[in-house]
């Protein structure tokens, strides 16, 4: 089965449709599948629902799809760096389902494992629990959260081999692994593709069985919040 494609547009060919549900990897501005997001923007696919830890910033990550009004709903943990996100949400143009960060990661992981739902204490007694099933275990109250089953998963990795095994670097590993597993189809963009057998099996973070299509490309290394201090004088 062909896994390596020449471009993001080619890798997404035949997969996109209006109203689809996409799980996207990335944490802050680390590990964002920027090339695939650009291709989705160019394709004009609309009414999208995204499950993603955050929405990038105004001109990067999912933020570029917010600018073009292609996103209908976000399932996220943190959206504080995106002014357009805030504007659309407050004006009623964008649906938002807030999830505690660990809950969102577990919902993705559960979907990837075929688990339709699970109980957690996180969110009990808050608006997060509104409308959700409550159940007591050993005198403690839990709420039920549903696993995420997406039409498509898009992720960004550091290295892949030709069979689709992936390695992520540092913070970029956050959310990319669970996001990749919960999509019916997973498309990965990577910085480097190496021959099969090159990667140390013990270093692989995501087995190639989860990855259906791969592209290689150059990526922008953005810093979300730059904090510096003046150099002390001698």
């Amino acid at each position: 089965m062909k896994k390596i494609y020449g471009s993001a547009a080619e890798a997404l060919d035949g997969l996109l449709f209006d109203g689809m549900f996409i799980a996207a990897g990335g944490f802050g501005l680390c590990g964002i599948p920027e090339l695939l997001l650009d291709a989705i923007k160019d394709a004009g696919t609309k009414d999208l629902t995204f499950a993603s830890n955050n929405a990038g910033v105004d001109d990067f990550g999912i933020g570029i799809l917010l600018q073009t009004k292609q996103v209908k709903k976000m399932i996220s943990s943190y959206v504080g760096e995106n002014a357009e996100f805030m504007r659309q949400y407050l004006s009623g143009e964008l649906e938002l389902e807030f999830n505690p960060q660990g809950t969102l990661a577990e919902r993705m992981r559960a979907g990837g494992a075929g688990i339709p739902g699970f109980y957690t204490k996180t969110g009990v007694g808050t608006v997060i629990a509104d409308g959700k099933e409550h159940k007591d275990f050993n005198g403690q109250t839990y709420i039920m959260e549903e696993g995420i089953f997406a039409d498509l998963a898009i992720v960004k990795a550091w290295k892949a081999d030709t069979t689709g095994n992936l390695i992520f670097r540092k913070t970029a590993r956050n959310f990319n692994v669970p996001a990749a597993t919960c999509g019916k189809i997973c498309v990965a963009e990577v910085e480097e593709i190496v021959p099969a057998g090159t990667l140390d099996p013990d270093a692989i973070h995501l087995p190639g069985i989860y990855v259906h299509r791969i592209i290689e490309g150059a990526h922008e290394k953005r810093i979300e919040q730059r904090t510096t201090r003046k150099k002390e004088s001698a």
Side-chain angles (χ1 to χ4, degrees):
M1 181 179 71
K2 176 182 177 180
K3 284 199 174 184
I4 301 174
Y5 289 74
S7 68
E10 183 183 345
L12 292 173
D13 184 43
L15 302 180
L16 302 177
F17 58 89
D18 292 346
M20 72 185 304
F21 184 10
I22 301 175
F27 189 82
L29 298 186
C30 297
I32 290 177
E34 62 200 74
L35 305 179
L36 294 167
L37 289 168
D38 282 339
I40 292 172
K41 176 184 176 181
D42 293 341
T45 315
K46 59 183 186 297
D47 296 328
L48 300 171
T49 295
F50 270 93
S52 174
N53 177 64
N54 56 287
V57 291
D58 289 336
D59 61 345
F60 192 63
I62 297 173
I64 63 172
L65 299 176
L66 291 170
Q67 289 180 332
T68 54
K69 306 291 183 68
Q70 290 173 250
V71 182
K72 178 183 70 174
K73 179 179 179 179
M74 288 292 305
I75 303 172
S76 295
S77 292
Y78 177 69
V79 296
E81 302 298 330
N82 195 313
E84 178 61 16
F85 187 114
M86 180 176 65
R87 189 199 67 77
Q88 289 188 24
Y89 172 60
L90 294 177
S91 66
E93 300 173 40
L94 178 69
E95 297 177 47
L96 173 60
E97 182 182 335
F98 263 131
N99 276 213
Q101 205 161 67
T103 298
L104 180 59
E106 181 63 10
R107 289 184 67 191
M108 290 180 174
R109 191 205 68 82
I115 298 170
F118 59 92
Y119 289 97
T120 176
K121 290 176 67 175
T122 306
V124 172
T126 73
V127 294
I128 295 296
D130 290 350
K132 294 176 180 175
E133 179 189 338
H134 289 59
K135 192 174 181 66
D136 288 348
F137 295 90
N138 299 318
Q140 300 289 322
T141 301
Y142 294 73
I143 57 175
M144 192 183 78
E145 295 282 0
E146 296 184 3
I148 288 176
F149 298 86
D151 298 307
L152 172 68
I154 54 174
V155 299
K156 190 261 179 181
W158 176 46
K159 280 188 180 183
D161 66 17
T162 52
T163 68
N165 294 312
L166 300 184
I167 295 177
F168 301 90
R169 272 183 61 78
K170 303 181 186 289
T171 305
R173 187 174 172 185
N174 288 347
F175 278 96
N176 268 304
V177 173
T181 65
C182 73
K184 294 177 183 176
I185 299 290
C186 175
V187 182
E189 58 183 73
V190 302
E191 297 181 33
E192 182 182 5
I193 299 175
V194 299
T198 304
L199 302 179
D200 178 357
D202 285 337
I204 291 169
H205 298 134
L206 184 72
I209 189 68
Y210 289 105
V211 181
H212 302 86
R213 301 182 181 186
I214 316 165
I215 61 165
E216 185 180 74
H219 296 85
E220 185 177 350
K221 305 288 187 180
R222 284 210 185 187
I223 298 175
E224 189 169 1
Q225 294 287 350
R226 186 183 297 272
T227 303
T228 61
R229 62 180 174 84
K230 292 182 179 180
K231 185 176 181 180
E232 296 180 5
S233 57

